[in-house]
Amino acid sequence: MVSSNRMKTNRVLNIAHRGASGYAPENTLAAFARAIAMNADYLELDVQLSRDGRLVVIHDQTVDRTSDGTGRVVDLTLEQLREVDAGSWFNKKFTGERIPTLAEVLHLSRGKAGLLIEIKWASMYPGIEHKLADELIAHGLDNPNASGIIIQSFDQESLKRFHAILPNVPIGVLVENQKDLVTNKLAELAAFADYINPYMGLATKEIVEDIHSQGMKVCLWTVRSPGAVKPLLELGVDGLISDYPDYIRG
């Protein structure tokens, strides 16, 4: 089943950054559920590996900023990661939110929204691409016509490794440097990428048109004010990634 009919009909994808992270603690089931309720087309999230090799959803290298715990994700087992409170730092009403596994988010989102999954800190996690591919296969989400899954990263070598494992799953290259948006580089990226996802401050109409001419789509990050939406839409982009999905829907 296609994850959402909205993904077929909307010209511009509404992508919830770490869930509806303007309204709920980022990368938690609460944030993802809120984004789904706000009719986001995709949920953007970050994956890393716990010490015992489980795919967990968290952005930073440590749990310090987004929980009441301390320590590096790579040094903590899934059980230890599940013990920390990942909600109360944002608001007391979210006390008890946990760091979710990728499997939990796959279950929550299925049939409701697509997933834009970012591989974080790939060099710290040898084999993370195989782990991620195995998880998608186990959930029957390795078929792009049925899954609504996009894999993205700043690490282009990691993306190439993932693409070699599951070549039918769409790939997005995260870009924060202008040098990755020149025509020759875009042509190189088009060999394995389906999306170029730059920081919104780098985007121009000419760059968007150049990316489109290479057969790729464009999603920009991260929208945090309502006034930013219209000028970005006028560039002709394919998606906007925002902490506030209602800004895009509006």
Side-chain angles (χ1 to χ4, degrees):
M1 295 291 290
V2 174
S3 295
S4 170
N5 288 331
R6 295 188 301 275
M7 288 185 284
K8 287 185 172 181
T9 58
N10 270 16
R11 186 179 70 84
V12 176
L13 293 174
N14 180 0
I15 304 170
H17 183 241
R18 307 178 199 170
S21 56
Y23 299 104
E26 65 178 64
N27 279 326
T28 63
L29 295 182
F32 298 130
R34 183 70 179 270
I36 290 168
M38 289 179 155
N39 294 320
D41 299 308
Y42 275 77
L43 311 176
E44 189 270 350
L45 57 93
D46 308 284
V47 293
Q48 301 184 55
L49 291 178
S50 64
R51 193 178 81 193
D52 46 348
R54 299 292 298 277
L55 286 161
V56 292
V57 178
I58 183 171
H59 177 275
D60 294 5
Q61 288 188 17
T62 75
V63 301
D64 299 40
R65 179 178 64 86
T66 56
S67 84
D68 64 351
T70 59
R72 297 194 308 164
V73 175
V74 70
D75 294 330
L76 299 171
T77 64
L78 177 61
E79 183 179 1
Q80 290 171 318
L81 289 167
R82 299 288 277 177
E83 288 174 353
V84 303
D85 178 346
S88 58
W89 67 273
F90 187 89
N91 188 295
K92 287 183 180 179
K93 69 181 180 180
F94 294 107
T95 298
E97 281 294 317
R98 301 300 167 193
I99 295 170
T101 63
L102 177 59
E104 288 175 312
V105 183
L106 291 172
H107 178 74
L108 174 71
S109 63
R110 186 141 198 168
K112 299 172 184 174
L115 294 182
L116 176 57
I117 301 172
E118 180 180 348
I119 300 173
K120 296 297 295 185
W121 325 111
S123 62
M124 293 175 58
Y125 302 110
I128 190 172
E129 299 86 6
H130 280 280
K131 291 266 190 181
L132 178 54
D134 289 345
E135 190 80 64
L136 296 180
I137 292 167
H139 285 81
L141 296 173
D142 52 317
N143 179 351
N145 294 321
S147 68
I149 300 290
I150 304 168
I151 305 302
Q152 69 173 359
S153 183
F154 288 103
D155 189 325
Q156 295 172 19
E157 294 307 310
S158 176
L159 291 174
K160 290 175 185 177
R161 289 192 293 272
F162 183 89
H163 180 64
I165 302 164
L166 288 182
N168 291 325
V169 175
I171 293 291
V173 179
L174 282 163
V175 173
E176 58 184 348
N177 195 313
Q178 196 78 40
K179 68 180 177 61
D180 284 329
L181 296 173
V182 299
T183 300
N184 289 348
K185 180 64 175 179
L186 290 174
E188 175 188 321
L189 295 174
F192 65 93
D194 305 274
Y195 291 82
I196 300 295
N197 299 340
Y199 167 61
M200 64 184 193
L202 297 178
T204 65
K205 195 167 186 66
E206 291 72 28
I207 285 172
V208 171
E209 290 173 352
D210 198 2
I211 293 169
H212 285 161
S213 74
Q214 304 277 359
M216 297 178 288
K217 296 181 179 181
V218 186
C219 299
L220 302 179
W221 50 276
T222 303
V223 176
R224 294 190 172 102
S225 68
V229 175
K230 186 179 178 184
L232 296 177
L233 292 179
E234 290 173 349
L235 300 179
V237 300
D238 303 282
L240 293 177
I241 302 170
S242 177
D243 294 349
Y244 303 90
D246 50 333
Y247 290 178
I248 314 303
R249 186 61 58 202

